Amino acid sequence: LYVADTDNHCIRKVSLPAGGVSTVAGVGTQGRDKAGGRKGREQEISSPWDLALGRSPDANHEDLLYLAMAGTHQIWVHFLDNAKWFKGSELAAETTVKMSGSGEEENRNNSYPHKAGFAQPSGLALAPDGYLYVADSESSTIRAVSTANGSVKAVVGGAMDPLDLFAYGDVDGKGREARLQHPLGVAWSGPQSCLYVADSYNHKIKMVDPVKKTCTTLAGTGLPGLANGSFECAQFSEPGGLCMDPVTRETLFVADTNNHRIRVLDLNRKEVSEFPISLPPAPDKRLTSARRVRVVECDGVKVPVRGSVSLSLSLSPPPHCHWTKEASSMWQVLQGDCCSVREEQHRGSFDDSHSTTLTIFTDLPPSQESSVLEIEVVLYYCVVSDTCRRSEALLRVPLLPTDPPGSTHTRASLSYTPQASS
């Protein structure tokens, strides 16, 4: 997975099988180079906004990345393999170089790639017709870059004057009659032979026919909001990214930026819904510190392989000590793959009795004889002289599968007394 890491001014590579991240281009600070030609982490780049995998003219596989270089108002290329490029030139793997754009902020189309001009290109979509389509946000246009020679032509939006970057609006139409406002994302649809555009500041998704050069509203009322339903009634709030479902090719996913949601457009039913996202719980913030905590290996408790256990946790102060009334002692269950608790029992404070009952839900791996439940406790107590102390402990409780395994609920108890010297 390749990532345009905009504010770090880098292109990153995420290895999904290994879970590692590496930098393939960029030095980590914003560059001013408008030509390129160096390799990998030696080449400075400027605010890359989007990427598209593609092929060099004679390649039979995807051997390059197109870069929407918003910071220098250009389109660049990063070569993944050695490749032949324009006019028969050869470029080595890892080279990052300009493809099109002078670097001046303008809406200039030209058959000479180095004389063309962009204005913060933000979205890319590669199509089988030999063009790389660009959502050029500051000129409010959709542009087409030839992958054969880098020439640039207009598709929809914008003004005749290449220096006029204020020809924006919300008008369906043809060519320059159409008006967009700060489009950020673009996606190619093979079955429809069209482009879908995230018309960000108009809060709409639009459809562009690059052959007829027409632009029409697909979904959205034009008012910012959050509403599902028919295309005509749905509302978005600055949609910023698009992705076609590569399997069905009948679903369009939308990054609905200000709504902080992924929206789903069913192109057959013409309905908008929300993509359900279920995230794993955030890592527990530890109550205890590695320097002060005392690790206590407790006796094991019998629990069902899949079920629950009511665990009564009871604490006692050290001999000749009493609990500090002005400070609340606390506990926290460190959840893992083998056990979990209800959200309200994940962390809490002890009452005056310093006891509580936790319901632990278990799902023990069949390949292991036991797993371990970990409970943190932070305790405050005072000695007779009224000197108060803090004690930290990590209680490690082995969970032993019950016999017979058909049981679904058990009860157990756990007690702990901190050492007076803690």
Side-chain angles (χ1 to χ4, degrees), residues 166-188:
F166 297 94
Y168 57 81
D170 184 9
V171 179
D172 290 353
K174 185 174 182 178
R176 288 192 175 90
E177 297 175 357
R179 287 290 180 262
L180 305 165
Q181 189 172 2
H182 205 80
L184 288 178
V186 63
W188 173 259

Side-chain angles (χ1 to χ4, degrees), residues 322-325 327-330 354 378-382 388-391:
H322 59 84
W323 298 120
T324 305
K325 294 182 179 181
S328 297
S329 298
M330 299 172 290
H354 276 68
V378 175
L379 308 174
Y380 298 92
Y381 65 92
C382 300
C388 296
R389 296 178 181 176
R390 171 188 170 112
S391 175

Side-chain angles (χ1 to χ4, degrees), residues 288-331:
T288 59
S289 63
R291 183 175 61 88
R292 300 182 61 178
V293 68
R294 178 191 176 200
V295 179
V296 180
E297 300 293 343
C298 304
D299 294 335
V301 298
K302 290 190 174 183
V303 300
V305 173
R306 287 181 178 83
S308 61
V309 55
S310 294
L311 180 64
S312 297
L313 176 61
S314 179
L315 305 176
S316 301
H320 312 295
C321 298
H322 59 84
W323 298 120
T324 305
K325 294 182 179 181
E326 293 79 10
S328 297
S329 298
M330 299 172 290
W331 51 263

Side-chain angles (χ1 to χ4, degrees), residues 82-119:
N82 297 333
K84 290 185 177 181
W85 196 227
F86 298 158
K87 298 181 180 180
S89 61
E90 296 185 0
L91 292 174
E94 301 182 8
T95 302
T96 309
V97 65
K98 175 184 70 172
M99 177 185 180
S100 299
S102 64
E104 298 297 323
E105 187 177 11
E106 54 188 6
N107 175 28
R108 189 180 300 277
N109 302 296
N110 204 291
S111 58
Y112 294 97
H114 303 320
K115 293 185 177 181
F118 297 90

Side-chain angles (χ1 to χ4, degrees), residues 284 333-340 361 372-373:
D284 293 317
V333 178
L334 300 182
Q335 303 184 73
D337 294 336
C338 66
C339 55
S340 61
F361 298 95
V372 177
L373 168 68

Side-chain angles (χ1 to χ4, degrees), residues 232-292:
E232 294 81 5
C233 298
Q235 288 183 311
F236 305 89
S237 186
E238 294 191 18
L242 302 175
C243 179
M244 282 292 298
D245 186 329
V247 178
T248 68
R249 300 196 294 179
E250 297 174 349
T251 303
L252 180 68
F253 296 98
V254 179
D256 195 6
T257 305
N258 286 352
N259 282 324
H260 312 287
R261 286 168 166 81
I262 304 299
R263 311 289 290 284
V264 182
L265 275 65
D266 187 320
L267 301 176
N268 287 332
R269 300 175 59 186
K270 301 186 184 306
E271 290 184 348
V272 178
S273 60
E274 185 175 322
F275 185 80
I277 297 177
S278 178
L279 299 176
D284 293 317
K285 183 178 180 180
R286 304 295 290 260
L287 295 178
T288 59
S289 63
R291 183 175 61 88
R292 300 182 61 178

